[in-house]
Amino acid sequence: MSPEPRLLAVSDLHVGMADNQPILESLRPVTAGDWLIVAGDVAELTPDIERALALLAGRFAKVIWAPGNHELWTVRQDPVQLRGEERYRHLVQVCRDLGVVTPEDPYPLWTGPAGPVAVAPLFLLYDYTFRAPGTTNKEESLRAAHAQGVVCTDEYLLHPDPYASRDDWCRARVEWTRGRLEAHDPAVPLVLVNHFPLLRAPTDILRHPEFAQWCGTEATADWHTRFNTYAVVYGHLHIPRTTRYDGVRFEEVSVGYPREWRRRGHPKGLLRQILPHDGPEVEW
């Protein structure tokens, strides 16, 4: 009997790093019907992002992309010097030209094993509400992070144009995305895909708790229960694991930097199987 098609996921490929290139090259489907979720941080340079997604789109039956913070950086070496919303829209068009699904497109319906399930790629950013311990507002939280020497590169390279701030951009994305999810047929379960975790709890194991403020927004803390959610897929933390919150499975699917995966290996494999789910109910 031939194997059934699978819905697979990966994130944080960081293919701009030479040691991560062979990982990208190794990612292949098992069946002709396999789908792949790519939950952000493919690379920083637009040509690297396009090349990686083109390779994956040529191998998998469908590729679904949600942007990470690294894709949204505007760095000097990038031939595309667009910033903020314009950069995001440019990447959306790159994906569409490749046949890759983006957060701006209709949610594709997985009808394979355990389906039907709608796969919803999201682009939400963060708003500094996952504040550093002992702080009560964004300004205090940022000061605490700077005092500890824990500052995300986004502060220098992720521009919010035309919004006044990244948190303003986040609020706009949350409002728009919430409307789309509310319009979705509640009888069809969702796989929610976002680069950042939808609630703060996954960040509790960060070595530097000050970094959590660049990891999401409290505005989405109930989305996994408010909407009919089969599973949540995210990355960003570079701590691959499976957890459950309120009975909903959360999958952190990142590859991460070479110094990280050399230390821990790839304990859950390079591609995480989201559907059909074949793992234990609680893995952390």
Side-chain angles (χ1 to χ4, degrees):
M1 181 181 296
S2 60
E4 296 178 316
R6 304 169 303 165
L7 176 62
L8 303 165
V10 71
S11 76
D12 298 80
L13 287 165
H14 294 290
V15 301
M17 295 184 167
D19 288 347
N20 278 21
Q21 289 281 348
I23 292 177
L24 170 69
E25 297 291 340
S26 74
L27 301 181
R28 295 182 179 276
V30 173
T31 80
D34 286 355
W35 288 17
L36 180 64
I37 293 166
V38 181
D41 279 8
V42 174
E44 293 80 29
L45 301 181
T46 305
D48 289 344
I49 298 167
E50 183 170 5
R51 178 181 55 82
L53 290 176
L55 183 149
L56 296 172
R59 293 179 175 178
F60 290 84
K62 190 179 293 292
V63 173
I64 299 148
W65 169 79
N69 52 317
H70 282 237
E71 282 106 332
L72 299 173
W73 289 359
T74 304
V75 299
R76 280 185 309 175
Q77 302 94 324
D78 197 328
V80 177
Q81 286 293 297
L82 299 173
R83 293 161 57 119
E85 179 78 15
E86 286 190 344
R87 179 170 179 83
Y88 169 63
R89 296 292 169 177
H90 176 79
L91 292 173
V92 166
Q93 189 57 55
V94 166
C95 287
R96 285 175 168 169
D97 291 344
L98 296 172
V100 172
V101 178
T102 80
E104 307 305 306
D105 299 317
Y107 302 148
L109 190 67
W110 167 263
T111 57
V117 172
V119 183
L122 314 177
F123 169 41
L124 302 172
L125 281 170
Y126 49 82
D127 61 3
Y128 303 89
T129 51
F130 294 176
R131 297 186 184 107
T135 64
T136 59
N137 57 51
K138 173 186 174 181
E139 291 71 27
E140 288 181 3
S141 187
L142 283 171
R143 281 198 297 270
H146 279 270
Q148 293 297 319
V150 179
V151 181
C152 185
T153 306
D154 292 4
E155 294 295 310
Y156 310 102
L157 296 179
L158 202 168
H159 305 287
D161 313 34
Y163 297 92
S165 64
R166 282 172 289 277
D167 28 329
D168 284 343
W169 194 5
C170 172
R171 284 186 281 270
R173 291 299 311 184
V174 166
E175 181 178 359
W176 183 82
T177 305
R178 183 190 298 114
R180 288 198 68 190
L181 292 173
E182 288 173 344
H184 175 74
D185 182 355
V188 179
L190 290 155
V191 171
L192 298 177
V193 179
N194 191 48
H195 181 64
F196 308 95
L198 293 182
L199 67 168
R200 180 164 188 163
T203 72
D204 289 345
I205 61 170
L206 289 174
R207 178 178 302 176
H208 301 289
E210 296 84 5
F211 190 76
Q213 61 196 297
W214 292 283
C215 295
T217 169
E218 290 184 349
T220 60
D222 67 344
W223 283 19
H224 63 294
T225 56
R226 178 176 180 177
F227 303 108
N228 182 8
T229 304
Y230 179 86
V232 177
V233 175
Y234 69 102
H236 190 57
L237 304 185
H238 294 195
I239 306 173
R241 59 177 183 156
T242 302
T243 53
R244 280 188 178 263
Y245 303 99
D246 304 302
V248 177
R249 178 164 52 102
F250 279 63
E251 297 279 7
E252 207 281 13
V253 298
S254 59
V255 171
Y257 302 134
R259 67 176 183 270
E260 295 166 328
W261 55 254
R262 284 199 184 99
R263 181 178 67 249
R264 58 167 159 76
H266 302 291
K268 302 188 72 63
L270 291 173
L271 295 179
R272 191 77 52 83
Q273 185 166 316
I274 308 303
L275 286 169
H277 180 47
D278 60 356
E281 286 301 296
V282 179
E283 303 186 32
W284 189 273

